[in-house]
Amino acid sequence: MELLWFLEGLRTPFWDAVFSQITTLGEETILIVVFCLVFWCVNKKAGYVLGTSFFLSALAVQGLKTVFRVPRPWVSYPDFLPVGYAIDAATGYSFPSGHTQNAAVLWGL
């Protein structure tokens, strides 16, 4: 939690906007668009690998979220203030990160 407090102290509107855009690289919509492009335009086998990897990793992450049940930082620490848009967008448990899982599958493969 100390790292989150430290990062909160460094926050500026500019960097909030930059990292907000970086976060979109882990969203499902981006992954689906890339999956479709790979499947239809590059290589069907690579598309199947990407789609299967995403599906299996998403199942694993959701299962692990249910096992660990780690609440969002602002739920455990009400005085911690997340970026405004994060409260509405971030639902459910925080660990493991779905955005990180999506980005790791997409950009890792």
Side-chain angles (χ1 to χ4, degrees), residues 6-40:
F6 173 75
L7 294 174
E8 181 191 28
L10 298 177
R11 207 171 3 190
T12 66
F14 171 77
W15 288 113
D16 286 352
V18 169
F19 286 111
S20 170
Q21 294 305 309
I22 291 171
T23 298
T24 62
L25 297 176
E27 290 185 2
E28 290 84 2
T29 306
I30 299 295
L31 188 110
I32 291 169
V33 167
V34 171
F35 163 72
C36 291
L37 288 173
V38 168
F39 186 80
W40 288 320

Side-chain angles (χ1 to χ4, degrees), residues 3-4 8 12-13 18-21 25-26 34 36-37 43 47 51 69 73 79-80 84 86 92 94-95 100-101 107:
L3 177 62
L4 291 178
E8 181 191 28
T12 66
V18 169
F19 286 111
S20 170
Q21 294 305 309
L25 297 176
V34 171
C36 291
L37 288 173
N43 183 312
R69 298 178 187 233
D79 51 338
F80 178 78
S94 66
F95 178 82
T100 303
Q101 168 260 324
W107 306 111

